[in-house]
């Protein structure tokens, strides 16, 4: 059995494919990291983001939502000058605004994961509409990849991929929805 064809042989890709892609996640920091990285990936290859991941972690306070939500103009300037990350003004601004949005979601729903669960299951098109209303810089591709990476949408792994069975054993949300339907 071989991994999904997109995975390739780069050790960063293989590790991500085998340990994170399609795996359900509940931790707010990890969820936000995935959303932010998916947003920064727009227009770039995923391997570029994986290679800069540690730079993003340093630049964005370890993906501490409250710390990033408090960022001001000096922080924006620092981020736009940081060669260790993707320096795009729209994406930097969206990351900060999305941290503030997550604070509101946490206050209203308990956690980002609880908010996701509240809306699950939705078809992808409805998820995209919801994300566009809720977050900055989230469109069809970003929303779909984010939700697939967490197991809210199917398709992360092909059934013949050895990781598929490992992910299925974790009972991701999309499988729960299929059983309930």
């Amino acid at each position: 059995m071989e991994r999904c064809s997109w995975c390739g042989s780069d050790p960063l890709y293989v590790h991500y494919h085998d340990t994170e892609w399609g795996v359900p996640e509940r931790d707010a920091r990890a969820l936000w990291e995935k959303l932010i990285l998916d947003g920064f990936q727009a227009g770039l290859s995923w391997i570029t983001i994986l290679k800069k991941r540690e730079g993003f972690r340093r630049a964005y306070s370890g993906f501490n939502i409250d710390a990033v939500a408090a960022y001001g103009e000096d922080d924006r300037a620092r981020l736009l000058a940081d060669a260790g990350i993707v320096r795009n003004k729209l994406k930097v601004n969206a990351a900060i605004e999305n941290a503030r949005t997550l604070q509101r979601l946490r206050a209203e729903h308990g956690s980002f994961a609880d908010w996701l669960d509240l809306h699950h299951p939705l078809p992808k098109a409805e998820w995209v509409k919801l994300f566009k209303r809720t977050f900055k810089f989230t469109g069809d591709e970003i929303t779909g990849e984010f939700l697939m990476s967490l197991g809210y949408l199917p398709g992360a792994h092909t059934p013949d991929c050895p990781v598929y069975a490992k992910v299925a054993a974790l009972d991701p949300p999309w499988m729960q929805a299929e059983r309930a339907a």
Side-chain angles (χ1 to χ4, degrees):
M1 295 175 69
E2 293 188 25
R3 289 179 179 90
C4 301
S5 62
W6 63 264
C7 179
S9 61
D10 185 289
L12 284 172
Y13 252 140
V14 170
H15 178 76
Y16 180 77
H17 172 273
D18 290 359
T19 63
E20 292 184 63
W21 181 245
V23 175
E25 180 61 66
R26 305 292 301 169
D27 178 73
R29 186 212 52 82
L31 290 169
W32 188 60
E33 178 178 356
K34 286 180 180 251
L35 181 63
I36 295 307
L37 293 179
D38 280 332
F40 274 97
Q41 186 267 328
L44 303 170
S45 68
W46 187 242
I47 195 66
T48 298
I49 300 304
L50 289 177
K51 287 178 179 178
K52 291 182 175 277
R53 192 175 199 179
E54 289 307 316
F56 277 105
R57 285 180 176 150
R58 282 189 300 277
Y60 284 92
S61 303
F63 290 102
N64 178 306
I65 295 166
D66 295 322
V68 176
Y71 281 5
E73 290 308 313
D74 289 345
D75 295 296
R76 288 178 206 273
R78 173 185 57 81
L79 292 166
L80 290 170
D82 189 337
I85 64 170
V86 174
R87 296 173 288 178
N88 176 295
K89 188 174 182 177
L90 291 174
K91 294 175 183 183
V92 166
N93 288 338
I96 296 166
E97 289 305 313
N98 288 340
R100 294 172 183 157
T101 297
L102 287 174
Q103 286 181 315
R104 287 191 298 276
L105 293 178
R106 182 177 61 206
E108 293 170 13
H109 302 284
S111 72
F112 189 15
D114 289 341
W115 181 83
L116 290 167
D117 292 345
L118 175 69
H119 298 289
H120 185 70
L122 285 175
K124 182 182 174 188
E126 294 303 312
W127 277 114
V128 170
K129 289 177 188 174
L130 177 64
F131 269 64
K132 282 183 177 184
R133 283 192 314 265
T134 308
F135 299 104
K136 303 288 184 204
F137 208 83
T138 54
D140 185 67
E141 189 71 21
I142 293 167
T143 301
E145 293 296 311
F146 172 73
L147 293 167
M148 192 182 301
S149 78
L150 301 169
Y152 280 91
L153 292 176
H157 297 280
T158 58
D160 59 337
C161 173
V163 180
Y164 182 92
K166 292 177 188 177
V167 170
L170 298 172
D171 199 25
W174 73 267
M175 286 185 160
Q176 296 171 25
E178 280 190 354
R179 278 196 313 278

